[in-house]
Amino acid sequence: MIENQKIRPAKVIGPLGEPLTLETLPPADTTRWVVRRKAEVVAAVNGGLLSVDEVCERYGLTVEEFAGWQRAIDRSGMPGLRVTRIQHYRSLYERQQKY
């Protein structure tokens, strides 16, 4: 049986519709995280290309930081990842939850 083996796709679809592979992901030494790069990493995890632990180790992120990126995309899509608009999208989400 292959229960314990990890089966990973060779590529997944990125946030802009392009194919993502391990080679096309942002480099491991990335320090400037723009919206597109964050979204690519989240898409890689959601598609099974990498695990959360692998992403955190590869990019030096905390699990909480990565989870924040996932929440932002789930709530507001790629615009929710913009650092300058975090408060706006957070308050918008909280208002939506009230109704």
Side-chain angles (χ1 to χ4, degrees), residues 18-71:
E18 78 288 357
L20 286 177
T21 63
L22 289 174
E23 292 78 31
T24 60
L25 285 174
D29 61 349
T30 299
T31 56
R32 186 167 183 268
W33 285 101
V34 295
V35 171
R36 180 187 50 81
R37 290 182 189 141
K38 292 177 185 179
E40 286 175 345
V41 171
V42 171
V45 170
N46 290 344
L49 196 59
L50 290 171
S51 70
V52 174
D53 292 334
E54 290 169 327
V55 164
C56 291
E57 183 179 327
R58 179 176 176 156
Y59 295 111
L61 303 172
T62 63
V63 174
E64 293 80 14
E65 186 174 15
F66 180 76
W69 293 358
Q70 282 187 315
R71 267 192 314 276

